[in-house]
Amino acid sequence: MVNKPDFLGGSGQDHFRPELQVESPEGELHLRFFIPSRQEFALPATGIREVIELSPDRITPIPNASPLLLGTLNLRGRVIWVADLGQFLGEATALNTDRAEISVIAIEEQDTIVGLAVEEIGGMHWLDAQNLMAPTNVPDTMAPFLRGEWLLDAQNKQYLRLLDQTAILRSARWAG
C-alpha cells in the first residue's frame, strides 16, 4: 500500500471547495499610504526598495539643505536623502516628526535611492491600471508627479493618486 500525502487524499471534491480557492489578483501590486493632509497615494511595488518604520533620531538633519529634506539616513550602509513627501508635492502641512516612529518609503531607480517620509502606510493592494483616470483638481505643484488616479468614493470625492517615482527621483525640485 502506498501512503499518499494528506493533500492528495480525499474525494477529489476538496479541489473545488471555495474556502481553499486562492483569489486571482487583478492589476499590479501597489503600496498605499497617506501624507499629513490625509490625501492617499500609491506607488508601484516594483519601484520600492523597502519600507522602514524608524525613530526620527535616525534621520540626521543637514544644515542649509532644502526645506523639503528632513536629512539623511543610513540604509544598509548607504546614505540616502529623506524628504517630506507632502511638502515635496506642495502641501502646506509639514510631517510631524515629534513622534516615536516615522514611515519612510525608499524608492529606487537605477542607482538612485531617495527616502520619502509619509504620515501613515496603508498596506499593499492589487490595483488595476485599466481603471486609472487622468488626475482632476490637482495643484500645479503635484501634477508633474502623478500618473493618474482611481476614484474611491464619488460622493465624498475620495481619490487614490498614483505617483510616478521616476518623475520624483529626477525632479529639479531637489536642487531647491
Side-chain angles (χ1 to χ4, degrees):
M1 182 167 133
V2 177
N3 289 334
K4 291 186 202 174
D6 288 340
F7 63 87
L8 292 177
S11 65
Q13 293 298 323
D14 291 344
H15 299 287
F16 301 105
R17 289 186 13 215
E19 66 270 18
L20 297 178
Q21 299 300 312
V22 176
E23 191 175 314
S24 175
E26 290 185 23
E28 296 176 20
L29 193 58
H30 291 78
L31 176 68
R32 292 172 66 167
F33 54 90
F34 296 89
I35 60 174
S37 65
R38 298 307 296 165
Q39 289 187 66
E40 189 175 14
F41 292 90
L43 279 166
T46 54
I48 297 173
R49 170 88 177 248
E50 68 183 274
V51 178
I52 319 154
E53 297 280 332
L54 55 92
S55 171
D57 62 359
R58 291 209 27 225
I59 299 172
T60 306
I62 304 297
N64 302 319
S66 166
L68 304 173
L69 296 171
L70 299 176
T72 60
L73 166 68
N74 183 335
L75 182 66
R76 308 205 188 294
R78 185 168 177 185
V79 176
I80 66 167
W81 290 99
V82 177
D84 178 337
L85 179 60
Q87 288 197 315
F88 178 85
L89 295 173
E91 290 292 307
T93 308
L95 182 72
N96 176 16
T97 57
D98 187 21
R99 57 188 185 180
E101 288 189 330
I102 296 176
S103 300
V104 176
I105 304 166
I107 59 172
E108 178 178 36
E109 184 195 340
Q110 294 173 344
D111 204 28
T112 305
I113 301 176
V114 171
L116 304 174
V118 299
E119 183 68 26
E120 179 185 338
I121 300 294
M124 300 296 286
H125 296 271
W126 293 96
L127 301 170
D128 194 347
Q130 291 180 0
N131 299 328
L132 200 62
M133 304 178 310
T136 56
N137 293 333
V138 178
D140 292 341
T141 55
M142 192 182 292
F145 307 107
L146 294 179
R147 288 188 185 168
E149 64 189 13
W150 290 279
L151 179 61
L152 299 178
D153 182 355
Q155 189 174 11
N156 295 321
K157 296 183 181 178
Q158 281 185 306
Y159 296 94
L160 172 61
R161 294 186 166 136
L162 179 61
L163 291 173
D164 182 344
Q165 71 259 24
T166 304
I168 292 170
L169 287 167
R170 294 181 180 172
S171 174
R173 212 171 274 184
W174 298 115

PDB file of all heavy atoms in Angstrom, residues 83-118:
ATOM      1  N   ALA A  83      13.042  62.851   2.380  1.00  0.00           N
ATOM      2  CA  ALA A  83      12.236  64.046   2.142  1.00  0.00           C
ATOM      3  C   ALA A  83      10.849  63.891   2.733  1.00  0.00           C
ATOM      4  O   ALA A  83      10.322  62.781   2.836  1.00  0.00           O
ATOM      5  CB  ALA A  83      12.124  64.306   0.643  1.00  0.00           C
ATOM      6  N   ASP A  84      10.235  65.004   3.090  1.00  0.00           N
ATOM      7  CA  ASP A  84       8.836  65.053   3.494  1.00  0.00           C
ATOM      8  C   ASP A  84       8.034  65.029   2.190  1.00  0.00           C
ATOM      9  O   ASP A  84       7.998  66.018   1.462  1.00  0.00           O
ATOM     10  CB  ASP A  84       8.587  66.339   4.280  1.00  0.00           C
ATOM     11  CG  ASP A  84       7.143  66.518   4.708  1.00  0.00           C
ATOM     12  OD1 ASP A  84       6.239  65.924   4.082  1.00  0.00           O
ATOM     13  OD2 ASP A  84       6.909  67.287   5.654  1.00  0.00           O
ATOM     14  N   LEU A  85       7.414  63.895   1.862  1.00  0.00           N
ATOM     15  CA  LEU A  85       6.730  63.752   0.585  1.00  0.00           C
ATOM     16  C   LEU A  85       5.618  64.776   0.415  1.00  0.00           C
ATOM     17  O   LEU A  85       5.445  65.337  -0.661  1.00  0.00           O
ATOM     18  CB  LEU A  85       6.181  62.338   0.395  1.00  0.00           C
ATOM     19  CG  LEU A  85       5.422  62.102  -0.912  1.00  0.00           C
ATOM     20  CD1 LEU A  85       6.318  62.347  -2.125  1.00  0.00           C
ATOM     21  CD2 LEU A  85       4.827  60.714  -0.952  1.00  0.00           C
ATOM     22  N   GLY A  86       4.861  65.030   1.470  1.00  0.00           N
ATOM     23  CA  GLY A  86       3.774  66.009   1.385  1.00  0.00           C
ATOM     24  C   GLY A  86       4.283  67.381   0.963  1.00  0.00           C
ATOM     25  O   GLY A  86       3.727  68.013   0.065  1.00  0.00           O
ATOM     26  N   GLN A  87       5.352  67.852   1.581  1.00  0.00           N
ATOM     27  CA  GLN A  87       5.910  69.155   1.222  1.00  0.00           C
ATOM     28  C   GLN A  87       6.521  69.117  -0.179  1.00  0.00           C
ATOM     29  O   GLN A  87       6.431  70.079  -0.924  1.00  0.00           O
ATOM     30  CB  GLN A  87       6.937  69.612   2.246  1.00  0.00           C
ATOM     31  CG  GLN A  87       6.271  70.034   3.548  1.00  0.00           C
ATOM     32  CD  GLN A  87       7.184  70.857   4.419  1.00  0.00           C
ATOM     33  OE1 GLN A  87       8.351  70.527   4.594  1.00  0.00           O
ATOM     34  NE2 GLN A  87       6.650  71.931   4.949  1.00  0.00           N
ATOM     35  N   PHE A  88       7.120  67.996  -0.545  1.00  0.00           N
ATOM     36  CA  PHE A  88       7.666  67.850  -1.894  1.00  0.00           C
ATOM     37  C   PHE A  88       6.558  68.031  -2.933  1.00  0.00           C
ATOM     38  O   PHE A  88       6.768  68.646  -3.974  1.00  0.00           O
ATOM     39  CB  PHE A  88       8.329  66.479  -2.060  1.00  0.00           C
ATOM     40  CG  PHE A  88       8.872  66.237  -3.433  1.00  0.00           C
ATOM     41  CD1 PHE A  88      10.139  66.676  -3.785  1.00  0.00           C
ATOM     42  CD2 PHE A  88       8.106  65.591  -4.393  1.00  0.00           C
ATOM     43  CE1 PHE A  88      10.641  66.476  -5.060  1.00  0.00           C
ATOM     44  CE2 PHE A  88       8.598  65.385  -5.675  1.00  0.00           C
ATOM     45  CZ  PHE A  88       9.869  65.828  -6.006  1.00  0.00           C
ATOM     46  N   LEU A  89       5.361  67.510  -2.630  1.00  0.00           N
ATOM     47  CA  LEU A  89       4.228  67.611  -3.550  1.00  0.00           C
ATOM     48  C   LEU A  89       3.509  68.954  -3.455  1.00  0.00           C
ATOM     49  O   LEU A  89       2.524  69.184  -4.145  1.00  0.00           O
ATOM     50  CB  LEU A  89       3.236  66.476  -3.294  1.00  0.00           C
ATOM     51  CG  LEU A  89       3.757  65.067  -3.570  1.00  0.00           C
ATOM     52  CD1 LEU A  89       2.752  64.021  -3.116  1.00  0.00           C
ATOM     53  CD2 LEU A  89       4.100  64.891  -5.043  1.00  0.00           C
ATOM     54  N   GLY A  90       3.995  69.856  -2.583  1.00  0.00           N
ATOM     55  CA  GLY A  90       3.420  71.196  -2.495  1.00  0.00           C
ATOM     56  C   GLY A  90       2.411  71.400  -1.387  1.00  0.00           C
ATOM     57  O   GLY A  90       1.770  72.447  -1.307  1.00  0.00           O
ATOM     58  N   GLU A  91       2.250  70.431  -0.517  1.00  0.00           N
ATOM     59  CA  GLU A  91       1.314  70.560   0.598  1.00  0.00           C
ATOM     60  C   GLU A  91       1.888  71.495   1.664  1.00  0.00           C
ATOM     61  O   GLU A  91       3.089  71.474   1.931  1.00  0.00           O
ATOM     62  CB  GLU A  91       1.042  69.192   1.223  1.00  0.00           C
ATOM     63  CG  GLU A  91       0.225  68.284   0.350  1.00  0.00           C
ATOM     64  CD  GLU A  91      -1.201  68.764   0.192  1.00  0.00           C
ATOM     65  OE1 GLU A  91      -1.879  69.011   1.196  1.00  0.00           O
ATOM     66  OE2 GLU A  91      -1.640  68.894  -0.961  1.00  0.00           O
ATOM     67  N   ALA A  92       1.016  72.279   2.277  1.00  0.00           N
ATOM     68  CA  ALA A  92       1.455  73.220   3.308  1.00  0.00           C
ATOM     69  C   ALA A  92       1.705  72.525   4.642  1.00  0.00           C
ATOM     70  O   ALA A  92       2.550  72.961   5.424  1.00  0.00           O
ATOM     71  CB  ALA A  92       0.407  74.316   3.481  1.00  0.00           C
ATOM     72  N   THR A  93       0.993  71.428   4.912  1.00  0.00           N
ATOM     73  CA  THR A  93       1.108  70.731   6.185  1.00  0.00           C
ATOM     74  C   THR A  93       2.400  69.908   6.217  1.00  0.00           C
ATOM     75  O   THR A  93       2.586  69.006   5.412  1.00  0.00           O
ATOM     76  CB  THR A  93      -0.094  69.781   6.392  1.00  0.00           C
ATOM     77  OG1 THR A  93      -1.288  70.509   6.194  1.00  0.00           O
ATOM     78  CG2 THR A  93      -0.081  69.183   7.784  1.00  0.00           C
ATOM     79  N   ALA A  94       3.280  70.249   7.161  1.00  0.00           N
ATOM     80  CA  ALA A  94       4.545  69.514   7.294  1.00  0.00           C
ATOM     81  C   ALA A  94       4.317  68.221   8.071  1.00  0.00           C
ATOM     82  O   ALA A  94       3.387  68.111   8.877  1.00  0.00           O
ATOM     83  CB  ALA A  94       5.576  70.375   8.006  1.00  0.00           C
ATOM     84  N   LEU A  95       5.168  67.259   7.828  1.00  0.00           N
ATOM     85  CA  LEU A  95       5.118  65.989   8.536  1.00  0.00           C
ATOM     86  C   LEU A  95       5.507  66.207   9.993  1.00  0.00           C
ATOM     87  O   LEU A  95       6.514  66.867  10.282  1.00  0.00           O
ATOM     88  CB  LEU A  95       6.083  64.994   7.881  1.00  0.00           C
ATOM     89  CG  LEU A  95       6.115  63.589   8.472  1.00  0.00           C
ATOM     90  CD1 LEU A  95       4.836  62.844   8.111  1.00  0.00           C
ATOM     91  CD2 LEU A  95       7.313  62.825   7.948  1.00  0.00           C
ATOM     92  N   ASN A  96       4.729  65.654  10.908  1.00  0.00           N
ATOM     93  CA  ASN A  96       5.045  65.726  12.329  1.00  0.00           C
ATOM     94  C   ASN A  96       6.164  64.722  12.630  1.00  0.00           C
ATOM     95  O   ASN A  96       5.945  63.520  12.555  1.00  0.00           O
ATOM     96  CB  ASN A  96       3.803  65.422  13.168  1.00  0.00           C
ATOM     97  CG  ASN A  96       4.103  65.389  14.648  1.00  0.00           C
ATOM     98  OD1 ASN A  96       5.144  65.867  15.102  1.00  0.00           O
ATOM     99  ND2 ASN A  96       3.203  64.814  15.405  1.00  0.00           N
ATOM    100  N   THR A  97       7.343  65.233  12.952  1.00  0.00           N
ATOM    101  CA  THR A  97       8.466  64.343  13.261  1.00  0.00           C
ATOM    102  C   THR A  97       8.635  64.147  14.766  1.00  0.00           C
ATOM    103  O   THR A  97       9.540  63.454  15.198  1.00  0.00           O
ATOM    104  CB  THR A  97       9.775  64.897  12.663  1.00  0.00           C
ATOM    105  OG1 THR A  97       9.991  66.215  13.166  1.00  0.00           O
ATOM    106  CG2 THR A  97       9.708  64.927  11.143  1.00  0.00           C
ATOM    107  N   ASP A  98       7.747  64.762  15.553  1.00  0.00           N
ATOM    108  CA  ASP A  98       7.806  64.625  17.006  1.00  0.00           C
ATOM    109  C   ASP A  98       6.915  63.450  17.434  1.00  0.00           C
ATOM    110  O   ASP A  98       5.859  63.620  18.024  1.00  0.00           O
ATOM    111  CB  ASP A  98       7.347  65.924  17.678  1.00  0.00           C
ATOM    112  CG  ASP A  98       7.555  65.898  19.176  1.00  0.00           C
ATOM    113  OD1 ASP A  98       8.392  65.101  19.655  1.00  0.00           O
ATOM    114  OD2 ASP A  98       6.860  66.667  19.883  1.00  0.00           O
ATOM    115  N   ARG A  99       7.371  62.248  17.075  1.00  0.00           N
ATOM    116  CA  ARG A  99       6.642  61.026  17.411  1.00  0.00           C
ATOM    117  C   ARG A  99       7.624  59.876  17.488  1.00  0.00           C
ATOM    118  O   ARG A  99       8.785  60.015  17.118  1.00  0.00           O
ATOM    119  CB  ARG A  99       5.521  60.753  16.412  1.00  0.00           C
ATOM    120  CG  ARG A  99       5.983  60.661  14.977  1.00  0.00           C
ATOM    121  CD  ARG A  99       4.799  60.581  14.052  1.00  0.00           C
ATOM    122  NE  ARG A  99       5.217  60.364  12.688  1.00  0.00           N
ATOM    123  CZ  ARG A  99       4.398  60.254  11.687  1.00  0.00           C
ATOM    124  NH1 ARG A  99       3.107  60.309  11.900  1.00  0.00           N
ATOM    125  NH2 ARG A  99       4.835  60.071  10.469  1.00  0.00           N
ATOM    126  N   ALA A 100       7.158  58.736  17.947  1.00  0.00           N
ATOM    127  CA  ALA A 100       8.048  57.599  18.179  1.00  0.00           C
ATOM    128  C   ALA A 100       8.667  57.051  16.895  1.00  0.00           C
ATOM    129  O   ALA A 100       9.849  56.717  16.860  1.00  0.00           O
ATOM    130  CB  ALA A 100       7.305  56.489  18.912  1.00  0.00           C
ATOM    131  N   GLU A 101       7.867  56.943  15.815  1.00  0.00           N
ATOM    132  CA  GLU A 101       8.372  56.377  14.561  1.00  0.00           C
ATOM    133  C   GLU A 101       7.837  57.142  13.363  1.00  0.00           C
ATOM    134  O   GLU A 101       6.712  57.635  13.382  1.00  0.00           O
ATOM    135  CB  GLU A 101       7.973  54.909  14.425  1.00  0.00           C
ATOM    136  CG  GLU A 101       8.711  53.996  15.360  1.00  0.00           C
ATOM    137  CD  GLU A 101       8.454  52.529  15.069  1.00  0.00           C
ATOM    138  OE1 GLU A 101       7.348  52.195  14.572  1.00  0.00           O
ATOM    139  OE2 GLU A 101       9.360  51.721  15.322  1.00  0.00           O
ATOM    140  N   ILE A 102       8.659  57.201  12.334  1.00  0.00           N
ATOM    141  CA  ILE A 102       8.288  57.809  11.061  1.00  0.00           C
ATOM    142  C   ILE A 102       8.341  56.719   9.999  1.00  0.00           C
ATOM    143  O   ILE A 102       9.260  55.900   9.978  1.00  0.00           O
ATOM    144  CB  ILE A 102       9.264  58.954  10.690  1.00  0.00           C
ATOM    145  CG1 ILE A 102       9.172  60.084  11.703  1.00  0.00           C
ATOM    146  CG2 ILE A 102       8.990  59.465   9.284  1.00  0.00           C
ATOM    147  CD1 ILE A 102      10.176  61.199  11.466  1.00  0.00           C
ATOM    148  N   SER A 103       7.345  56.720   9.111  1.00  0.00           N
ATOM    149  CA  SER A 103       7.319  55.774   7.997  1.00  0.00           C
ATOM    150  C   SER A 103       8.083  56.381   6.825  1.00  0.00           C
ATOM    151  O   SER A 103       7.792  57.490   6.399  1.00  0.00           O
ATOM    152  CB  SER A 103       5.875  55.491   7.560  1.00  0.00           C
ATOM    153  OG  SER A 103       5.142  54.945   8.622  1.00  0.00           O
ATOM    154  N   VAL A 104       9.060  55.626   6.301  1.00  0.00           N
ATOM    155  CA  VAL A 104       9.861  56.079   5.165  1.00  0.00           C
ATOM    156  C   VAL A 104       9.797  55.019   4.073  1.00  0.00           C
ATOM    157  O   VAL A 104      10.050  53.840   4.321  1.00  0.00           O
ATOM    158  CB  VAL A 104      11.335  56.342   5.575  1.00  0.00           C
ATOM    159  CG1 VAL A 104      12.176  56.720   4.364  1.00  0.00           C
ATOM    160  CG2 VAL A 104      11.414  57.421   6.645  1.00  0.00           C
ATOM    161  N   ILE A 105       9.450  55.463   2.869  1.00  0.00           N
ATOM    162  CA  ILE A 105       9.407  54.580   1.700  1.00  0.00           C
ATOM    163  C   ILE A 105      10.656  54.872   0.877  1.00  0.00           C
ATOM    164  O   ILE A 105      10.822  55.989   0.386  1.00  0.00           O
ATOM    165  CB  ILE A 105       8.153  54.844   0.844  1.00  0.00           C
ATOM    166  CG1 ILE A 105       6.895  54.696   1.686  1.00  0.00           C
ATOM    167  CG2 ILE A 105       8.131  53.918  -0.373  1.00  0.00           C
ATOM    168  CD1 ILE A 105       5.652  55.264   1.029  1.00  0.00           C
ATOM    169  N   ALA A 106      11.539  53.901   0.762  1.00  0.00           N
ATOM    170  CA  ALA A 106      12.760  54.074  -0.038  1.00  0.00           C
ATOM    171  C   ALA A 106      12.432  53.673  -1.475  1.00  0.00           C
ATOM    172  O   ALA A 106      12.130  52.511  -1.745  1.00  0.00           O
ATOM    173  CB  ALA A 106      13.899  53.236   0.516  1.00  0.00           C
ATOM    174  N   ILE A 107      12.456  54.666  -2.380  1.00  0.00           N
ATOM    175  CA  ILE A 107      12.198  54.377  -3.800  1.00  0.00           C
ATOM    176  C   ILE A 107      13.520  54.360  -4.540  1.00  0.00           C
ATOM    177  O   ILE A 107      14.468  55.046  -4.160  1.00  0.00           O
ATOM    178  CB  ILE A 107      11.214  55.378  -4.437  1.00  0.00           C
ATOM    179  CG1 ILE A 107      11.724  56.817  -4.344  1.00  0.00           C
ATOM    180  CG2 ILE A 107       9.827  55.239  -3.830  1.00  0.00           C
ATOM    181  CD1 ILE A 107      10.900  57.828  -5.114  1.00  0.00           C
ATOM    182  N   GLU A 108      13.558  53.570  -5.596  1.00  0.00           N
ATOM    183  CA  GLU A 108      14.821  53.370  -6.305  1.00  0.00           C
ATOM    184  C   GLU A 108      14.581  53.298  -7.809  1.00  0.00           C
ATOM    185  O   GLU A 108      13.602  52.717  -8.268  1.00  0.00           O
ATOM    186  CB  GLU A 108      15.449  52.066  -5.825  1.00  0.00           C
ATOM    187  CG  GLU A 108      16.730  51.692  -6.507  1.00  0.00           C
ATOM    188  CD  GLU A 108      17.324  50.418  -5.939  1.00  0.00           C
ATOM    189  OE1 GLU A 108      16.570  49.495  -5.577  1.00  0.00           O
ATOM    190  OE2 GLU A 108      18.546  50.349  -5.855  1.00  0.00           O
ATOM    191  N   GLU A 109      15.496  53.911  -8.543  1.00  0.00           N
ATOM    192  CA  GLU A 109      15.548  53.742  -9.992  1.00  0.00           C
ATOM    193  C   GLU A 109      17.013  53.749 -10.385  1.00  0.00           C
ATOM    194  O   GLU A 109      17.755  54.664 -10.013  1.00  0.00           O
ATOM    195  CB  GLU A 109      14.816  54.857 -10.733  1.00  0.00           C
ATOM    196  CG  GLU A 109      14.809  54.588 -12.219  1.00  0.00           C
ATOM    197  CD  GLU A 109      14.429  55.796 -13.050  1.00  0.00           C
ATOM    198  OE1 GLU A 109      13.826  56.720 -12.522  1.00  0.00           O
ATOM    199  OE2 GLU A 109      14.783  55.798 -14.230  1.00  0.00           O
ATOM    200  N   GLN A 110      17.410  52.729 -11.098  1.00  0.00           N
ATOM    201  CA  GLN A 110      18.804  52.510 -11.467  1.00  0.00           C
ATOM    202  C   GLN A 110      19.638  52.548 -10.189  1.00  0.00           C
ATOM    203  O   GLN A 110      19.465  51.706  -9.341  1.00  0.00           O
ATOM    204  CB  GLN A 110      19.246  53.505 -12.526  1.00  0.00           C
ATOM    205  CG  GLN A 110      18.510  53.284 -13.833  1.00  0.00           C
ATOM    206  CD  GLN A 110      18.793  54.336 -14.871  1.00  0.00           C
ATOM    207  OE1 GLN A 110      19.312  55.401 -14.584  1.00  0.00           O
ATOM    208  NE2 GLN A 110      18.440  54.024 -16.097  1.00  0.00           N
ATOM    209  N   ASP A 111      20.519  53.528 -10.010  1.00  0.00           N
ATOM    210  CA  ASP A 111      21.376  53.551  -8.819  1.00  0.00           C
ATOM    211  C   ASP A 111      21.004  54.679  -7.858  1.00  0.00           C
ATOM    212  O   ASP A 111      21.763  55.007  -6.961  1.00  0.00           O
ATOM    213  CB  ASP A 111      22.842  53.675  -9.251  1.00  0.00           C
ATOM    214  CG  ASP A 111      23.783  53.130  -8.196  1.00  0.00           C
ATOM    215  OD1 ASP A 111      23.371  52.230  -7.447  1.00  0.00           O
ATOM    216  OD2 ASP A 111      24.918  53.642  -8.102  1.00  0.00           O
ATOM    217  N   THR A 112      19.838  55.293  -8.049  1.00  0.00           N
ATOM    218  CA  THR A 112      19.411  56.408  -7.209  1.00  0.00           C
ATOM    219  C   THR A 112      18.346  55.934  -6.232  1.00  0.00           C
ATOM    220  O   THR A 112      17.363  55.319  -6.631  1.00  0.00           O
ATOM    221  CB  THR A 112      18.837  57.547  -8.082  1.00  0.00           C
ATOM    222  OG1 THR A 112      19.815  57.915  -9.049  1.00  0.00           O
ATOM    223  CG2 THR A 112      18.472  58.750  -7.246  1.00  0.00           C
ATOM    224  N   ILE A 113      18.555  56.248  -4.944  1.00  0.00           N
ATOM    225  CA  ILE A 113      17.585  55.899  -3.899  1.00  0.00           C
ATOM    226  C   ILE A 113      17.270  57.161  -3.105  1.00  0.00           C
ATOM    227  O   ILE A 113      18.184  57.909  -2.732  1.00  0.00           O
ATOM    228  CB  ILE A 113      18.128  54.827  -2.932  1.00  0.00           C
ATOM    229  CG1 ILE A 113      18.502  53.560  -3.675  1.00  0.00           C
ATOM    230  CG2 ILE A 113      17.098  54.517  -1.856  1.00  0.00           C
ATOM    231  CD1 ILE A 113      19.138  52.504  -2.787  1.00  0.00           C
ATOM    232  N   VAL A 114      15.980  57.392  -2.847  1.00  0.00           N
ATOM    233  CA  VAL A 114      15.532  58.507  -2.016  1.00  0.00           C
ATOM    234  C   VAL A 114      14.492  57.964  -1.047  1.00  0.00           C
ATOM    235  O   VAL A 114      13.675  57.118  -1.418  1.00  0.00           O
ATOM    236  CB  VAL A 114      14.916  59.645  -2.876  1.00  0.00           C
ATOM    237  CG1 VAL A 114      14.244  60.695  -2.010  1.00  0.00           C
ATOM    238  CG2 VAL A 114      15.966  60.288  -3.758  1.00  0.00           C
ATOM    239  N   GLY A 115      14.525  58.458   0.186  1.00  0.00           N
ATOM    240  CA  GLY A 115      13.525  58.084   1.181  1.00  0.00           C
ATOM    241  C   GLY A 115      12.413  59.111   1.214  1.00  0.00           C
ATOM    242  O   GLY A 115      12.678  60.311   1.271  1.00  0.00           O
ATOM    243  N   LEU A 116      11.165  58.660   1.152  1.00  0.00           N
ATOM    244  CA  LEU A 116      10.001  59.544   1.215  1.00  0.00           C
ATOM    245  C   LEU A 116       9.291  59.317   2.543  1.00  0.00           C
ATOM    246  O   LEU A 116       8.737  58.245   2.776  1.00  0.00           O
ATOM    247  CB  LEU A 116       9.054  59.249   0.050  1.00  0.00           C
ATOM    248  CG  LEU A 116       9.653  59.338  -1.354  1.00  0.00           C
ATOM    249  CD1 LEU A 116       8.642  58.886  -2.393  1.00  0.00           C
ATOM    250  CD2 LEU A 116      10.159  60.739  -1.644  1.00  0.00           C
ATOM    251  N   ALA A 117       9.336  60.331   3.409  1.00  0.00           N
ATOM    252  CA  ALA A 117       8.680  60.229   4.711  1.00  0.00           C
ATOM    253  C   ALA A 117       7.198  60.546   4.533  1.00  0.00           C
ATOM    254  O   ALA A 117       6.837  61.552   3.908  1.00  0.00           O
ATOM    255  CB  ALA A 117       9.327  61.199   5.698  1.00  0.00           C
ATOM    256  N   VAL A 118       6.339  59.666   5.057  1.00  0.00           N
ATOM    257  CA  VAL A 118       4.891  59.811   4.917  1.00  0.00           C
ATOM    258  C   VAL A 118       4.230  59.714   6.292  1.00  0.00           C
ATOM    259  O   VAL A 118       4.846  59.270   7.261  1.00  0.00           O
ATOM    260  CB  VAL A 118       4.305  58.757   3.947  1.00  0.00           C
ATOM    261  CG1 VAL A 118       4.905  58.917   2.558  1.00  0.00           C
ATOM    262  CG2 VAL A 118       4.509  57.342   4.456  1.00  0.00           C
TER     263      VAL A 118
END
